[in-house]
Each structure stands twice: as C-alpha cells, then as structure tokens.
Amino acid sequence: MDHSGRRRADGADPRSQVVGLASLRYVVGVEPLASAPADDVVRWHGPAIQTVADNLG
C-alpha cells in the first residue's frame, strides 16, 4: 500500500514474483529454470523475493 492506504500497482509484491516465476518454470518451460532442481531455483530467486517482501511496509 502507498501512503494514502491504496494498494500499490507496480508489481512490487512477492506474490506477483512467485506467480511469474511459477509460470515461467511450469507453464512456459523456460530453461534452465524449467529443469533446475528446486533448491537451485530458491537459491537464484529467493533473495530477490525476500527483498521485495522485506520492503513492503
């Protein structure tokens, strides 16, 4: 939410990042994401998702 109490619409939401990541991995099949072990995907993308989550407030 922004300072007026309205929800932000700029995509800075960890849920949108997770949905996008899942779409690329499982629906579109983008390599190397599609065939990578889950631990690698978490290592690659977890820090960015955590940063967005930490900066929501």
Side-chain angles (χ1 to χ4, degrees):
M1 291 200 189
D2 63 14
H3 295 290
S4 67
R6 293 178 298 193
R7 182 169 165 71
R8 289 176 57 175
D10 63 1
D13 185 325
R15 294 172 294 190
S16 65
Q17 287 192 325
V18 171
V19 168
L21 181 62
S23 295
L24 289 174
R25 182 170 164 90
Y26 298 111
V27 178
V28 180
V30 172
E31 291 295 346
L33 191 60
S35 62
D39 288 342
D40 286 349
V41 176
V42 170
R43 191 176 74 248
W44 297 336
H45 296 281
I49 293 169
Q50 186 64 57
T51 298
V52 171
D54 290 346
N55 292 313
L56 280 177

